[in-house]
């Protein structure tokens, strides 16, 4: 294959053409070789060797220029096989990318042409396949081989900025060379071939303020101390040119809008150095009276200003604050103005930036001052009281018309008009007091009671006679002083509890007194029992000399069944002037108590109420109890009315033991069996009666224990013998049914070394022993302690 170059359009292709023509086809570089060897014998016996020429495809890289504008097809190159003898017997075939449509081949010569204009940016190379066939036999003279046709780039694309319009910011007063923004342009041409895609940046518009690096595209400041207040927005046009910026290169441009951001490089300044302001003397304290403003060319926090009054004359009477939105200094009044005292004020006002940038300290202090002269205007004012609040006093029970005190007001204006006084009719205190409209003297309209109301609050108003519309008010507090006009009383309203086990000299309760009068007349109290009454046998009173008294029991033990309530009148004196006394009657309730004075149960109503039951529930409970009692009574009545036969049936003849469920009532039971009969068999012999028959109701009236004779000597006859005798009599008696009747006697026997524990045969006198310790043994011994205690009290009496 021979390589034929297209028209020598570039130095590289010209060189290739020259080399091909000088050295011929024998010097072509084969890419693939097919060879064979054959020999022929000569006459001299030598063999002539014939070398068959090598067959194969031979070509270099094919190139085709893009954007061909000629009318004829563009020559690309030539395909040639060593098998081609030039006689037209070889037919060349082309296949692959664009074969037949873009690229065509001459079947006889192997010349390839491009029939269309190509764009490298759309497709940079084409892959094709070549074949050499025998035209007659259609056999392949060369194997099918692949080759590439590259589209040669030309500079047909200008640089572009794909990001479009740019926006950037940079602080004002920045140094030269401060980076602002980096822009990047792109070129669709081949960056590996020539300078078609080699871009250089330049500034078309925006000098001398900004510059750009020609290679990197970084935009920088080119001028120092650019002032935002002088110019804030800049439009910079940047150009990108290929071919390394040479003449004939293509270019593209973009626009960058650059804004200078603010820094605090401007101090606040008042538009003028002197201001004047008129303020009436009636201006209210705390309200704004004027405003002042300093200008600052900066923005945002860089323009924030703090105002202050730097001279003491103005700072004592006025204050200034900054209004956030308008940045104005609002002047307010701190103290009331008085035209008659001071007619003018001079204020030195300073405005200072709150956020200072130290980089610009060389520009000076970021503050400014101005002078404000305030003129006070004269206004007709309401009367002024001598004090802001009056406190007066008057004794209780004083007669109507008693002087309480006087208020004073004057006209603050220079003409000093007369003043008229009167009370606020809307207040309740008006009915207790009146005021003289000329002198301001306050008097009572009725007698006052400190215990009813100890303080009275009224409001006095004053107005000028010439101008009644101007009013001033002043509060007046009147204290009602105490006199000793209330007797003292006992402090407690509750009942006093007295335990049944109280001893003589025992303190029942300590009482105190109360007095409606104040502390000065009621701090000391004395107590005593009424002297006109006889001596109380149950209780006495002891004055503790500390404004309290103790109630003391005088007798030994109380019985709530005998007497539950006691009344004790007590006289109490206060220490006031004059001396007053009062008598209070206390109610003392007797209650059973446990040890250490704890109340066991005092009253049924109290017990029920403590359980938290309502009245309806109590009534329902009581009704149920009554119904149950009625049922029990009916049941007992029916049982008593029913008589049972002694023998149930004639066949039921057997020995029976009759049991009497009679436990006795103790020593107080006078109907129980008298054991003295067992001790005196002779007397009992005379009173024989049937033990197996229900006896008639008999009452054994035993004498009281306290009067029982202690000289009776019991017969020493053994009770056992008496019982045996009675048993024999019952067995021998033929008139009674044949069964034993067993009588049980409460006989404890004899011979105990400690004697009997029963008090029936105790001949001694009553003991002086204290039985209160039985309370500690529990509720079972409570009744026993009460019985012995009562007996001992009766003997003592």
């Amino acid at each position: 294959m021979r390589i034929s170059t297209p028209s020598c359009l570039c130095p590289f292709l010209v060189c290739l053409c020259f080399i091909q023509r000088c050295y011929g086809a024998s010097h072509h570089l084969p890419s693939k070789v097919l060879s064979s060897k054959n020999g022929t014998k000569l006459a001299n016996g030598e063999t002539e060797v014939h070398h068959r020429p090598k067959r194969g495809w031979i070509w270099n890289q094919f190139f085709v220029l893009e954007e061909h504008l000629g009318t004829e097809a563009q020559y690309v190159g030539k395909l040639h096989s060593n098998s081609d003898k030039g006689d037209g017997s070889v037919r060349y075939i082309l296949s692959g990318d664009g074969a037949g449509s873009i690229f065509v081949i001459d079947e006889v010569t192997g010349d390839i042409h491009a029939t269309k204009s190509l764009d490298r940016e759309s497709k940079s190379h084409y892959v094709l396949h070549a074949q050499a066939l025998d035209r007659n036999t259609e056999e392949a003279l060369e194997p099918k081989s692949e080759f590439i046709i590259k589209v040669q780039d030309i500079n047909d694309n200008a640089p572009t900025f794909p990001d479009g319009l740019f926006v950037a910011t940079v602080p004002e007063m920045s140094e030269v060379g401060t980076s602002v923004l980096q822009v990047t342009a792109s070129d669709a041409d081949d960056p590996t071939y020539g300078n078609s895609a080699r871009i250089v940046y330049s500034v078309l518009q925006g000098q001398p303020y900004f510059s750009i690096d020609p290679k990197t595209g970084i935009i920088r400041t080119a001028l120092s101390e650019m002032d935002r207040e002088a110019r804030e927005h800049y439009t910079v046009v940047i150009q990108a040119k290929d071919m390394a910026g040479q003449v004939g290169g293509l270019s593209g441009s973009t626009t960058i809008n650059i804004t200078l951001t603010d820094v605090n490089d401007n101090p606040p300044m008042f538009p003028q150095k002197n201001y004047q302001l008129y303020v009436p003397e009636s201006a209210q304290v705390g309200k704004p009276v004027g405003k002042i403003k300093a200008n600052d060319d900066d923005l945002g926090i860089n323009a924030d200003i703090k105002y202050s009054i730097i001279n003491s004359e103005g700072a004592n009477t006025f204050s200034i604050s900054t209004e956030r939105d308008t940045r104005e200094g609002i002047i307010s009044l701190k103290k009331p103005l008085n035209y008659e005292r001071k007619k003018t004020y001079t204020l030195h006002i300073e405005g200072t930036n709150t956020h200072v940038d130290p980089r610009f300290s060389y520009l000076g202090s970021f503050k400014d001052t101005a002078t404000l002269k305030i003129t006070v205007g004269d206004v007709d004012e309401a009367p002024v009281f001598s004090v802001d609040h009056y406190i007066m006093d008057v004794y209780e029970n004083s007669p109507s018309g008693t002087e309480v005190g006087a208020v004073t007001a004057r006209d603050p204006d220079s003409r000093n008009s007369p003043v008229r006084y009167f009370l606020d009719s809307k207040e309740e205190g008006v009915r207790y007091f009146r005021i003289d409209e000329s002198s301001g003297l306050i008097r009572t309209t009725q007698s006052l009671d400190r215990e009813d109301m100890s303080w009275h609050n009224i409001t006095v108003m004053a107005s000028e006679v010439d101008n009644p519309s101007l009013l001033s008010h002043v509060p007046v507090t009147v204290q009602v002083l105490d006199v000793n006009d209330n007797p003292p009383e006992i402090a407690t309203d509750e009942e006093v509890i007295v335990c049944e086990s109280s001893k003589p000299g025992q303190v029942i309760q300590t009482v105190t007194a109360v007095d409606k009068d104040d502390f000065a007349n009621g701090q000391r109290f004395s107590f005593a029992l009424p002297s006109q009454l006889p001596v109380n046998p149950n209780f006495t009173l002891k004055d503790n000399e500390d404004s309290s008294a103790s109630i003391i029991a005088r007798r030994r033990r109380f019985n709530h069944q005998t007497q539950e309530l006691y009344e004790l009148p007590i006289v109490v004196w206060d220490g006031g002037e004059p001396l007053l006394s009062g008598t209070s009657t206390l109610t003392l309730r007797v209650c059973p108590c446990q040890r250490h004075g704890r109340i066991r149960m005092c009253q049924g109503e109290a017990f029920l109420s403590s359980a938290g039951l309502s009245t309806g529930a109590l009534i329902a409970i009581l009704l149920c109890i009554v119904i149950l009692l009625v049922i029990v009574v009916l049941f007992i009545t029916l049982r008593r009315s029913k008589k049972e036969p002694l023998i149930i049936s004639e066949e039921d003849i057997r020995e029976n033991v009759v049991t009497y469920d009679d436990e006795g009532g103790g020593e107080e039971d006078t109907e129980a069996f008298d054991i003295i009969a067992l001790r005196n068999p002779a007397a009992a012999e005379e009173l024989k009666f049937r033990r197996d028959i229900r006896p008639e109701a008999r009452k054994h009236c035993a004498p009281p224990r306290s009067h029982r004779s202690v000289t009776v000597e019991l017969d020493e006859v053994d009770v056992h013998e008496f019982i045996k005798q009675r048993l024999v009599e019952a067995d021998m008696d033929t008139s009674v049914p044949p069964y034993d009747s067993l009588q049980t006697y409460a006989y404890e026997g004899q011979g105990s070394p400690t004697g009997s524990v029963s008090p029936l045969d105790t001949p001694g006198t009553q003991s002086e022993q204290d039985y209160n310790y039985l309370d500690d043994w529990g509720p079972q011994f409570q009744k026993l302690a009460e019985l012995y205690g009562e007996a001992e009290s009766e003997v003592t009496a």
Side-chain angles (χ1 to χ4, degrees), residues 393-399 402 444 446-454 456 479-486 516-518 521:
D393 54 60
V394 61
Y395 280 99
E396 66 174 330
N397 302 331
S398 298
T402 302
T444 61
Q446 56 182 296
S447 179
L448 303 179
D449 186 2
R450 190 199 68 86
E451 287 72 35
D452 183 25
M453 185 180 295
S454 58
H456 295 270
Q479 180 184 10
V480 181
L481 302 178
D482 183 61
V483 296
N484 194 20
D485 58 345
N486 292 279
K516 293 182 181 179
D517 296 321
D518 65 4
N521 290 324

Side-chain angles (χ1 to χ4, degrees), residues 572-590:
V572 57
W573 290 270
D574 60 17
E577 182 64 33
L579 187 66
L580 295 180
S581 64
T583 302
S584 300
T585 301
L586 297 182
T587 301
L588 289 74
R589 181 179 295 276
V590 179

Side-chain angles (χ1 to χ4, degrees), residues 413-425:
D413 298 322
S414 57
R415 57 185 179 179
N416 195 15
S417 300
V419 177
R420 184 174 65 91
Y421 305 93
F422 53 95
L423 299 179
D424 189 353
S425 59

Side-chain angles (χ1 to χ4, degrees), residues 583-691:
T583 302
S584 300
T585 301
L586 297 182
T587 301
L588 289 74
R589 181 179 295 276
V590 179
C591 294
C593 300
Q594 297 180 359
R595 195 175 184 183
H596 306 301
R598 289 178 295 178
I599 301 175
R600 184 176 62 187
M601 184 180 69
C602 189
Q603 191 176 5
E605 293 78 6
F607 175 77
L608 292 176
S609 62
S610 64
L613 298 177
S614 62
T615 304
L618 292 176
I619 294 174
I621 292 173
L622 293 176
L623 184 60
C624 292
I625 293 173
V626 171
I627 294 173
L628 290 175
L629 290 177
V630 171
I631 294 173
V632 171
V633 171
L634 291 176
F635 180 75
I636 294 174
T637 303
L638 292 176
R639 288 290 302 272
R640 288 184 177 179
S641 62
K642 183 179 180 180
K643 295 182 180 180
E644 297 180 358
L646 185 61
I647 299 177
I648 299 176
S649 64
E650 295 180 358
E651 290 80 13
D652 190 12
I653 301 175
R654 57 186 175 181
E655 293 183 353
N656 293 296
V657 178
V658 180
T659 301
Y660 297 92
D661 295 331
D662 184 12
E663 297 179 358
E667 295 178 1
E668 292 182 353
D669 189 359
T670 58
E671 296 183 0
F673 181 80
D674 191 1
I675 199 170
I676 296 178
L678 299 180
R679 297 292 186 180
N680 192 1
E685 187 70 20
E686 299 176 358
L687 301 174
K688 292 182 179 181
F689 55 90
R690 294 285 297 275
R691 296 289 181 177

